[in-house]
Amino acid sequence: MSYQSLLKILYARKPIFDVKRAILSAPVRHIFMIATIWFLTAAAKKDDLHILEIGSWYGASTLSWAQGLELYNAARGAITCVDAWSAFFDMNVHAEVDYVRDMEEALATDAAYNIFLHNSRTLPQTIQCQHMRGLSQSILPQLREKYYDVVFIDGDHAYDAVKEDIRKSMRLVKEQGVICGDDLNLQLHECDVAVAQEKKRMDFVQDPQTGKNYHPGVTLAVAEQLGEVSSWAGFWMMQKQGRRWEKVSLKGMPVVYPKHFPDDAIRAAKSHFEDIAASIS
Ligand SMILES: C[S@@+](CC[C@H](N)C(=O)[O-])C[C@H]1O[C@@H](n2cnc3c(N)ncnc32)[C@H](O)[C@@H]1O
């Protein structure tokens, strides 16, 4: 029996997120993904809202984008997911880290890919969801220039990879569209720059200046390519305005929780959101 048949028997059309490592990032960030669609459709619904996602894993962010489309764009739009769904961590620097070992196993066994396939098939039929399995570095140059309203970057978090994903994505964003990403726990002006440089191949480390854990590769690459960016709890975004990339305001945004999240992730998102609500600009 195939993986897909088994998942269909066990879960029917219910998405699978009640398993370990299904939601990798801080759950609160998905509120901002949904709000991004609210922001882009505030003036008018769009006939053809195109979203490109780099790094889909089990599909948690894919389903959050889709929820934004359902709520604010009459369930219309297209989501293209780019992911290699194959082991990618540099095990010379990450071998002892629990979450890395779990991710590598789920990728190497194709469990991650099959859960993504199952989850993406639960979307409404009015939302076209296609996936391209391969390395973003090879796939992004093949995609249509100035075509996407949203390009979301959440693939490999090592510096060289994030830098290339941002550089290759910038040309894909249409006028007034946004480039955004996950896991900007600290911006470069907030952390120890020398340590960020030294650890830029590592996924997640502690910043000695703030004591916070962060992704030095994301922090450095975002700062180099875009400078200081709009950011809410680690979800970052900039809007294309002619030749410039401008910050975005989400003030007044509706607060919507991802309906595909299990209860513990909703609780975590709510509590985190309450802590930062007053500072949203
Ligand atoms: C942090 S996870 C994505 C999480 C997802 N956005 C979510 O919210 O659930 C990173 C994903 O990027 C993929 N990835 C890593 N390096 C990649 C590369 N060079 N090209 C394409 N995908 C890559 C991995 O297979 C993994 O699924």
Side-chain angles (χ1 to χ4, degrees), residues 149-194:
D149 297 273
V150 178
V151 178
F152 172 64
I153 300 174
D154 193 18
D156 185 345
H157 290 10
Y159 167 76
D160 287 334
V162 187
K163 185 173 84 175
E164 278 313 298
D165 281 347
I166 297 176
R167 284 160 58 106
K168 291 187 165 77
S169 293
M170 284 165 119
R171 55 175 273 283
L172 303 176
V173 180
K174 69 168 73 145
E175 182 61 23
Q176 304 287 315
V178 297
I179 189 167
C180 57
D182 198 2
D183 288 321
L184 185 67
N185 305 53
L186 289 172
Q187 300 215 40
L188 197 60
H189 65 271
E190 298 170 316
C191 69
D192 184 319
V193 178

Side-chain angles (χ1 to χ4, degrees), residues 22 24 30 55-57 60-61 82-86 88 103 107 134-137 152 154-157:
L24 288 174
H30 292 250
S56 297
W57 184 236
S61 44
V82 172
D83 197 309
W85 287 286
S86 66
F88 69 97
M103 284 182 73
L107 290 166
L135 294 174
S136 55
Q137 298 90 312
F152 172 64
D154 193 18
D156 185 345
H157 290 10

Side-chain angles (χ1 to χ4, degrees), residues 167-264:
R167 284 160 58 106
K168 291 187 165 77
S169 293
M170 284 165 119
R171 55 175 273 283
L172 303 176
V173 180
K174 69 168 73 145
E175 182 61 23
Q176 304 287 315
V178 297
I179 189 167
C180 57
D182 198 2
D183 288 321
L184 185 67
N185 305 53
L186 289 172
Q187 300 215 40
L188 197 60
H189 65 271
E190 298 170 316
C191 69
D192 184 319
V193 178
V195 172
Q197 287 283 4
E198 184 195 326
K199 307 251 165 113
K200 66 187 184 184
R201 288 174 58 225
M202 304 281 295
D203 186 63
F204 201 45
V205 301
Q206 190 176 50
D207 167 48
Q209 196 168 297
T210 57
K212 290 184 180 166
N213 290 330
Y214 77 122
H215 299 269
V218 177
T219 295
L220 268 177
V222 168
E224 278 180 16
Q225 300 299 314
L226 293 158
E228 188 180 329
V229 294
S230 313
S231 150
W232 308 268
F235 173 76
W236 63 267
M237 176 157 50
M238 293 294 267
Q239 185 174 35
K240 185 168 185 165
Q241 307 269 13
R243 290 170 167 270
R244 298 170 60 88
W245 293 92
E246 304 279 357
K247 287 188 173 180
V248 171
S249 169
L250 290 180
K251 210 174 169 80
M253 65 180 238
V255 182
V256 175
Y257 296 96
K259 61 185 179 182
H260 50 289
F261 273 18
D263 292 346
D264 57 342

Side-chain angles (χ1 to χ4, degrees), residues 123-154:
L123 294 183
Q125 295 207 329
T126 49
I127 297 174
Q128 297 165 36
C129 182
Q130 63 157 338
H131 71 277
M132 302 175 82
R133 189 173 189 182
L135 294 174
S136 55
Q137 298 90 312
S138 318
I139 292 176
L140 298 184
Q142 301 169 31
L143 301 179
R144 242 168 93 180
E145 202 167 320
K146 297 182 183 157
Y147 183 69
Y148 296 94
D149 297 273
V150 178
V151 178
F152 172 64
I153 300 174
D154 193 18

